[in-house]
Amino acid sequence: MRILIEEHQYNVADIKDILHGIDALENVEGKVSIQYVGYYYNAVLQDCVFILPKVLLNDKAELVFGKYRPEDVINLNENNPLSPTERNFIYKFAVWIYRAIVVYKNSKEGNSEIVYHRHIAQIGKGYRRLSNTYLDILLSLIQFNKDNRNFFFTIVKNLHSGMNKINWTRTISTTTAIVQNGQPIYLNPVNKKRQINFDEELLVIFFSILNYIGDEFGFPKNIVCQFQLITGKRFETYRKGFGTRRLQQIKYKYFSDKALQLWQLCYAFFDETRQIFITTEKREYLLVKSFYIVFEAIIDELVGDNPLPDGMEKQQEDGKIVDHLFTARSLIDSEEKQTYYIGDSKYYKIGHPVGEEAVYKQYTYARNVIQKNLDIFNDGGQPSSGVKLRDDVTEGYNIIPNFFISAKLNEELNYADDGIEKTDRQSNKHKKLQFENRLFDRDTLLVFHYDVNFLFVLSLYARNNALQKVEWKTKVRDKFRKEIQEWLQQDYDFYAMRARPGVNGEEYIKHNFKNVIGKVYAPFKDEKTYSLALDKKDPEGNNNVIKTELSEFFYIEPCRLGQNPEEVLPTVAVFDAVKPADNDLALCVTKEGIHFDNAVEKMKKIGKLGIALNMNGATLQLVEGFTAAKYLIIHNKSDKYAAFFVDGKGPRLVSANEMTDMVTTKKGASIYLVYNAELNIIPAFGELDFSPITKSGDSYSPHLLSIKSLIKRTD
């Protein structure tokens, strides 16, 4: 076997004989690099040549397995430097590459223009190759199965012919007959006994091999005879040495050419290094040019959605082509809400960094996807995926997980390592933003970078087992989500928010829009529960101020990404908003500083406000119209206030001894006019102007004003 590495620059003198029979090469200053991946037969050398993907090379030293120059492994027939493990890996790896190309070629998405395929080797009488690969053996086994169906059926027919016939000679000589009416009757006739049949054993071994390579590599089985096959641990004992020993024991039981060919093939499979006769055409190859396209197809098959969600196309309107796009659970919501995940495959040598241009393109992909989602809603439609990136209340945008996937080579050459890990290249996380500390902003774009075990995804794709692919797709999507969540939580503090009783959260966000834009988003099923994200670096220097101000109107509790907010937030009753009429009256009470905070907090819990009244002799002094107030407003003479609804219900006179737990305008009064607020109804006032009170000369006394007189003018 000869080994070449894709895109490695060889000296022409080192490989000119090996390149016989292949063209379309690049010649760079006396160097030759091969732009293919795959397999071809060199008729001059009478040997097969495998061109392996460049992911076997590290980026800086250009070493295979991190220790061999590509020139040192060109000819594995002479001075082979590989260890037995590495040598076995190369033989098996060539099979996986072959299978991946075949699956890609046969897929609907396969680009036939980059695949070059011509007849593959068959066993038969002909020239002996210098060496034969594991792939040669497997393909020869499969071809033998296709070409010799009649041979198999003939053996099976002969095996079972006459099995139930009576052996009269043995019956008469060994058993006693009963004579009845002059006729002997034998009660226990002797049938022909079945002897060990070595033809059948050879077929069992052969079909067991086909079954194994079908399960292991995804080759079609096409087993036509129903024998009890050797499987599982028992077949492993055959692979570990018993197979060659047993075949040696039955070798001289065969005389026909077909049986000998079959024995030779089975023995070659278990021996793996044994030379066999191969009939080979001069032009035999399976090659793919631009293997990065195949790698993209592998990752898209195992990660992406096909077709793309919501009518999106891989080629975006600005000409950019996105590799992978799918919908999965949002990073924030713990239940059902979905978001888009955008991925890009990077087919590099091991350790090769991602360039700035690629990162910028990834940002552009996300912008295009955001705009496409907005267009669906702007046109009056609804996306079939249910994804809505923009929240109309907060005007924030959901986080779009955006990522690169590069290939890495498992150090133990282990195909079973199915993990995706954060890359150890120069940078594994990129962020672009317009405004600091606004994670939920359209212009805050994140790109994460992962490495995937190339051997695992190659084998999974090549095996082409639908169930295994679906299982891994589910697993890897969940891992993407968890990994990105962990990364974000290293940079941001996340909280769940819910309005306190008597507070209209939506109105508050609208009136304080500039303070919370990009920091607050409504990602949950309960749209009145919000997520707050604050950059741990506190670039604006006001994280504590924001939390303090929000805490006056919202319950705010730490809530990890993906955690159910109901686990951390207190239960709050469902509120109804009421919009006042201009002529409705509001009773305004002034409180400042800590007294304002305490009064609002107590009012939200108790819902009772007492207006202190004066007793003048036997006369109770009441302010005219106080009983007609429909709303209560506690304010601090500026723009800070809390409003409560009483629905015009008449207050009642209560002595100080009767009602001790309430908000009062003045302590020590003997009698109060007490209002009971409806805490489950929220007045929707908007911005109010308290200057009519502050300019009255008596701003600390209760004032009864119409809503119209309090509405802040915008002109």
mmCIF file of all heavy atoms in Angstrom, residues 226-251:
data_model
loop_
_atom_site.group_PDB
_atom_site.id
_atom_site.type_symbol
_atom_site.label_atom_id
_atom_site.label_comp_id
_atom_site.label_asym_id
_atom_site.label_seq_id
_atom_site.Cartn_x
_atom_site.Cartn_y
_atom_site.Cartn_z
ATOM 1 N N GLN A 226 -30.192 -18.670 4.935
ATOM 2 C CA GLN A 226 -30.576 -18.501 6.333
ATOM 3 C C GLN A 226 -29.859 -19.513 7.222
ATOM 4 O O GLN A 226 -30.405 -20.528 7.617
ATOM 5 C CB GLN A 226 -32.094 -18.641 6.475
ATOM 6 C CG GLN A 226 -32.882 -17.634 5.677
ATOM 7 C CD GLN A 226 -32.531 -16.203 6.054
ATOM 8 O OE1 GLN A 226 -32.460 -15.878 7.230
ATOM 9 N NE2 GLN A 226 -32.318 -15.357 5.065
ATOM 10 N N PHE A 227 -28.606 -19.222 7.521
ATOM 11 C CA PHE A 227 -27.843 -20.047 8.455
ATOM 12 C C PHE A 227 -27.818 -19.373 9.822
ATOM 13 O O PHE A 227 -28.045 -18.164 9.944
ATOM 14 C CB PHE A 227 -26.400 -20.236 7.973
ATOM 15 C CG PHE A 227 -26.272 -21.105 6.753
ATOM 16 C CD1 PHE A 227 -25.910 -20.560 5.531
ATOM 17 C CD2 PHE A 227 -26.505 -22.467 6.826
ATOM 18 C CE1 PHE A 227 -25.779 -21.346 4.404
ATOM 19 C CE2 PHE A 227 -26.382 -23.266 5.703
ATOM 20 C CZ PHE A 227 -26.022 -22.711 4.487
ATOM 21 N N GLN A 228 -27.521 -20.157 10.848
ATOM 22 C CA GLN A 228 -27.279 -19.602 12.167
ATOM 23 C C GLN A 228 -25.890 -18.979 12.156
ATOM 24 O O GLN A 228 -24.881 -19.674 12.156
ATOM 25 C CB GLN A 228 -27.372 -20.702 13.236
ATOM 26 C CG GLN A 228 -27.252 -20.195 14.659
ATOM 27 C CD GLN A 228 -28.437 -19.349 15.076
ATOM 28 O OE1 GLN A 228 -29.569 -19.657 14.725
ATOM 29 N NE2 GLN A 228 -28.179 -18.293 15.815
ATOM 30 N N LEU A 229 -25.834 -17.648 12.122
ATOM 31 C CA LEU A 229 -24.561 -16.961 11.925
ATOM 32 C C LEU A 229 -23.772 -16.853 13.226
ATOM 33 O O LEU A 229 -24.320 -16.920 14.329
ATOM 34 C CB LEU A 229 -24.811 -15.559 11.355
ATOM 35 C CG LEU A 229 -25.546 -15.498 10.010
ATOM 36 C CD1 LEU A 229 -25.698 -14.049 9.557
ATOM 37 C CD2 LEU A 229 -24.811 -16.310 8.943
ATOM 38 N N ILE A 230 -22.487 -16.644 13.055
ATOM 39 C CA ILE A 230 -21.582 -16.427 14.188
ATOM 40 C C ILE A 230 -21.561 -14.922 14.455
ATOM 41 O O ILE A 230 -21.180 -14.137 13.584
ATOM 42 C CB ILE A 230 -20.161 -16.934 13.865
ATOM 43 C CG1 ILE A 230 -20.213 -18.395 13.421
ATOM 44 C CG2 ILE A 230 -19.239 -16.766 15.060
ATOM 45 C CD1 ILE A 230 -18.921 -18.881 12.774
ATOM 46 N N THR A 231 -21.958 -14.516 15.640
ATOM 47 C CA THR A 231 -22.076 -13.081 15.934
ATOM 48 C C THR A 231 -21.508 -12.776 17.314
ATOM 49 O O THR A 231 -21.118 -13.682 18.063
ATOM 50 C CB THR A 231 -23.542 -12.623 15.884
ATOM 51 O OG1 THR A 231 -24.299 -13.375 16.839
ATOM 52 C CG2 THR A 231 -24.138 -12.827 14.499
ATOM 53 N N GLY A 232 -21.492 -11.492 17.634
ATOM 54 C CA GLY A 232 -21.138 -11.040 18.977
ATOM 55 C C GLY A 232 -19.764 -11.465 19.427
ATOM 56 O O GLY A 232 -18.785 -11.450 18.679
ATOM 57 N N LYS A 233 -19.681 -11.889 20.695
ATOM 58 C CA LYS A 233 -18.396 -12.255 21.284
ATOM 59 C C LYS A 233 -17.782 -13.483 20.618
ATOM 60 O O LYS A 233 -16.557 -13.607 20.537
ATOM 61 C CB LYS A 233 -18.570 -12.514 22.784
ATOM 62 C CG LYS A 233 -18.925 -11.262 23.573
ATOM 63 C CD LYS A 233 -19.032 -11.564 25.057
ATOM 64 C CE LYS A 233 -19.345 -10.293 25.842
ATOM 65 N NZ LYS A 233 -19.470 -10.561 27.300
ATOM 66 N N ARG A 234 -18.642 -14.359 20.153
ATOM 67 C CA ARG A 234 -18.122 -15.556 19.484
ATOM 68 C C ARG A 234 -17.391 -15.178 18.205
ATOM 69 O O ARG A 234 -16.326 -15.729 17.898
ATOM 70 C CB ARG A 234 -19.276 -16.512 19.180
ATOM 71 C CG ARG A 234 -18.811 -17.859 18.627
ATOM 72 C CD ARG A 234 -19.948 -18.826 18.483
ATOM 73 N NE ARG A 234 -19.563 -20.001 17.715
ATOM 74 C CZ ARG A 234 -20.313 -20.590 16.820
ATOM 75 N NH1 ARG A 234 -21.531 -20.109 16.572
ATOM 76 N NH2 ARG A 234 -19.894 -21.654 16.169
ATOM 77 N N PHE A 235 -17.944 -14.209 17.442
ATOM 78 C CA PHE A 235 -17.265 -13.782 16.226
ATOM 79 C C PHE A 235 -15.964 -13.058 16.566
ATOM 80 O O PHE A 235 -14.986 -13.143 15.813
ATOM 81 C CB PHE A 235 -18.168 -12.869 15.395
ATOM 82 C CG PHE A 235 -17.622 -12.562 14.037
ATOM 83 C CD1 PHE A 235 -17.756 -13.470 12.991
ATOM 84 C CD2 PHE A 235 -16.939 -11.380 13.794
ATOM 85 C CE1 PHE A 235 -17.237 -13.201 11.732
ATOM 86 C CE2 PHE A 235 -16.417 -11.097 12.544
ATOM 87 C CZ PHE A 235 -16.568 -12.012 11.508
ATOM 88 N N GLU A 236 -15.932 -12.360 17.708
ATOM 89 C CA GLU A 236 -14.700 -11.688 18.117
ATOM 90 C C GLU A 236 -13.580 -12.696 18.333
ATOM 91 O O GLU A 236 -12.415 -12.408 18.054
ATOM 92 C CB GLU A 236 -14.937 -10.872 19.395
ATOM 93 C CG GLU A 236 -15.691 -9.571 19.167
ATOM 94 C CD GLU A 236 -14.952 -8.655 18.214
ATOM 95 O OE1 GLU A 236 -13.764 -8.369 18.452
ATOM 96 O OE2 GLU A 236 -15.559 -8.254 17.200
ATOM 97 N N THR A 237 -13.920 -13.891 18.849
ATOM 98 C CA THR A 237 -12.879 -14.920 19.013
ATOM 99 C C THR A 237 -12.335 -15.360 17.661
ATOM 100 O O THR A 237 -11.145 -15.662 17.537
ATOM 101 C CB THR A 237 -13.427 -16.140 19.775
ATOM 102 O OG1 THR A 237 -14.473 -16.758 19.008
ATOM 103 C CG2 THR A 237 -13.980 -15.731 21.127
ATOM 104 N N TYR A 238 -13.203 -15.393 16.637
ATOM 105 C CA TYR A 238 -12.733 -15.713 15.280
ATOM 106 C C TYR A 238 -11.778 -14.623 14.789
ATOM 107 O O TYR A 238 -10.738 -14.915 14.186
ATOM 108 C CB TYR A 238 -13.919 -15.838 14.321
ATOM 109 C CG TYR A 238 -14.548 -17.217 14.289
ATOM 110 C CD1 TYR A 238 -15.306 -17.683 15.357
ATOM 111 C CD2 TYR A 238 -14.393 -18.056 13.188
ATOM 112 C CE1 TYR A 238 -15.892 -18.942 15.332
ATOM 113 C CE2 TYR A 238 -14.979 -19.321 13.146
ATOM 114 C CZ TYR A 238 -15.721 -19.759 14.227
ATOM 115 O OH TYR A 238 -16.288 -21.017 14.194
ATOM 116 N N ARG A 239 -12.111 -13.358 15.042
ATOM 117 C CA ARG A 239 -11.282 -12.243 14.575
ATOM 118 C C ARG A 239 -9.936 -12.207 15.291
ATOM 119 O O ARG A 239 -8.940 -11.714 14.746
ATOM 120 C CB ARG A 239 -12.007 -10.910 14.780
ATOM 121 C CG ARG A 239 -13.217 -10.717 13.888
ATOM 122 C CD ARG A 239 -13.799 -9.331 14.060
ATOM 123 N NE ARG A 239 -12.824 -8.312 13.705
ATOM 124 C CZ ARG A 239 -12.497 -7.275 14.466
ATOM 125 N NH1 ARG A 239 -13.059 -7.117 15.647
ATOM 126 N NH2 ARG A 239 -11.603 -6.391 14.070
ATOM 127 N N LYS A 240 -9.903 -12.716 16.521
ATOM 128 C CA LYS A 240 -8.677 -12.653 17.315
ATOM 129 C C LYS A 240 -7.781 -13.878 17.144
ATOM 130 O O LYS A 240 -6.837 -14.062 17.911
ATOM 131 C CB LYS A 240 -9.031 -12.470 18.788
ATOM 132 C CG LYS A 240 -9.661 -11.113 19.082
ATOM 133 C CD LYS A 240 -10.058 -10.982 20.541
ATOM 134 C CE LYS A 240 -10.675 -9.617 20.807
ATOM 135 N NZ LYS A 240 -11.107 -9.459 22.219
ATOM 136 N N GLY A 241 -8.063 -14.711 16.144
ATOM 137 C CA GLY A 241 -7.145 -15.819 15.861
ATOM 138 C C GLY A 241 -7.802 -17.151 15.608
ATOM 139 O O GLY A 241 -7.266 -17.995 14.874
ATOM 140 N N PHE A 242 -8.977 -17.368 16.197
ATOM 141 C CA PHE A 242 -9.613 -18.669 16.010
ATOM 142 C C PHE A 242 -10.063 -18.863 14.566
ATOM 143 O O PHE A 242 -10.073 -20.002 14.062
ATOM 144 C CB PHE A 242 -10.815 -18.808 16.954
ATOM 145 C CG PHE A 242 -11.495 -20.143 16.852
ATOM 146 C CD1 PHE A 242 -10.917 -21.278 17.410
ATOM 147 C CD2 PHE A 242 -12.708 -20.288 16.181
ATOM 148 C CE1 PHE A 242 -11.541 -22.514 17.293
ATOM 149 C CE2 PHE A 242 -13.338 -21.512 16.074
ATOM 150 C CZ PHE A 242 -12.749 -22.638 16.636
ATOM 151 N N GLY A 243 -10.407 -17.780 13.876
ATOM 152 C CA GLY A 243 -10.869 -17.896 12.494
ATOM 153 C C GLY A 243 -9.811 -18.496 11.578
ATOM 154 O O GLY A 243 -10.112 -19.406 10.781
ATOM 155 N N THR A 244 -8.583 -18.028 11.679
ATOM 156 C CA THR A 244 -7.520 -18.587 10.821
ATOM 157 C C THR A 244 -7.224 -20.038 11.215
ATOM 158 O O THR A 244 -6.978 -20.889 10.349
ATOM 159 C CB THR A 244 -6.245 -17.742 10.938
ATOM 160 O OG1 THR A 244 -5.879 -17.605 12.320
ATOM 161 C CG2 THR A 244 -6.456 -16.353 10.341
ATOM 162 N N ARG A 245 -7.249 -20.321 12.518
ATOM 163 C CA ARG A 245 -6.961 -21.701 12.952
ATOM 164 C C ARG A 245 -8.028 -22.661 12.448
ATOM 165 O O ARG A 245 -7.719 -23.757 11.953
ATOM 166 C CB ARG A 245 -6.875 -21.759 14.480
ATOM 167 C CG ARG A 245 -5.691 -21.015 15.051
ATOM 168 C CD ARG A 245 -5.401 -21.443 16.481
ATOM 169 N NE ARG A 245 -6.527 -21.196 17.365
ATOM 170 C CZ ARG A 245 -6.726 -20.046 18.006
ATOM 171 N NH1 ARG A 245 -5.881 -19.041 17.840
ATOM 172 N NH2 ARG A 245 -7.763 -19.904 18.810
ATOM 173 N N ARG A 246 -9.295 -22.269 12.561
ATOM 174 C CA ARG A 246 -10.370 -23.163 12.131
ATOM 175 C C ARG A 246 -10.346 -23.352 10.618
ATOM 176 O O ARG A 246 -10.557 -24.473 10.116
ATOM 177 C CB ARG A 246 -11.726 -22.596 12.568
ATOM 178 C CG ARG A 246 -12.911 -23.479 12.196
ATOM 179 C CD ARG A 246 -12.757 -24.869 12.747
ATOM 180 N NE ARG A 246 -13.807 -25.782 12.299
ATOM 181 C CZ ARG A 246 -13.698 -27.103 12.292
ATOM 182 N NH1 ARG A 246 -12.563 -27.678 12.698
ATOM 183 N NH2 ARG A 246 -14.696 -27.855 11.889
ATOM 184 N N LEU A 247 -10.075 -22.293 9.876
ATOM 185 C CA LEU A 247 -10.004 -22.419 8.415
ATOM 186 C C LEU A 247 -8.832 -23.296 7.995
ATOM 187 O O LEU A 247 -8.932 -24.050 7.010
ATOM 188 C CB LEU A 247 -9.885 -21.030 7.780
ATOM 189 C CG LEU A 247 -11.184 -20.201 7.787
ATOM 190 C CD1 LEU A 247 -10.904 -18.764 7.400
ATOM 191 C CD2 LEU A 247 -12.218 -20.808 6.835
ATOM 192 N N GLN A 248 -7.731 -23.239 8.712
ATOM 193 C CA GLN A 248 -6.609 -24.136 8.406
ATOM 194 C C GLN A 248 -7.004 -25.592 8.623
ATOM 195 O O GLN A 248 -6.587 -26.489 7.869
ATOM 196 C CB GLN A 248 -5.405 -23.783 9.299
ATOM 197 C CG GLN A 248 -4.691 -22.501 8.918
ATOM 198 C CD GLN A 248 -3.790 -22.689 7.700
ATOM 199 O OE1 GLN A 248 -3.898 -23.670 6.963
ATOM 200 N NE2 GLN A 248 -2.918 -21.713 7.479
ATOM 201 N N GLN A 249 -7.829 -25.832 9.646
ATOM 202 C CA GLN A 249 -8.245 -27.207 9.951
ATOM 203 C C GLN A 249 -9.112 -27.814 8.852
ATOM 204 O O GLN A 249 -9.088 -29.029 8.631
ATOM 205 C CB GLN A 249 -8.993 -27.232 11.287
ATOM 206 C CG GLN A 249 -8.113 -26.934 12.491
ATOM 207 C CD GLN A 249 -8.919 -26.726 13.765
ATOM 208 O OE1 GLN A 249 -10.155 -26.730 13.734
ATOM 209 N NE2 GLN A 249 -8.231 -26.541 14.888
ATOM 210 N N ILE A 250 -9.916 -26.967 8.181
ATOM 211 C CA ILE A 250 -10.836 -27.506 7.172
ATOM 212 C C ILE A 250 -10.365 -27.199 5.747
ATOM 213 O O ILE A 250 -11.099 -27.433 4.792
ATOM 214 C CB ILE A 250 -12.259 -26.953 7.391
ATOM 215 C CG1 ILE A 250 -12.283 -25.423 7.228
ATOM 216 C CG2 ILE A 250 -12.790 -27.346 8.763
ATOM 217 C CD1 ILE A 250 -13.684 -24.832 7.314
ATOM 218 N N LYS A 251 -9.145 -26.707 5.607
ATOM 219 C CA LYS A 251 -8.652 -26.256 4.299
ATOM 220 C C LYS A 251 -8.684 -27.369 3.261
ATOM 221 O O LYS A 251 -9.091 -27.151 2.108
ATOM 222 C CB LYS A 251 -7.238 -25.715 4.449
ATOM 223 C CG LYS A 251 -6.608 -25.277 3.135
ATOM 224 C CD LYS A 251 -5.217 -24.697 3.348
ATOM 225 C CE LYS A 251 -4.606 -24.251 2.027
ATOM 226 N NZ LYS A 251 -3.247 -23.685 2.215
#
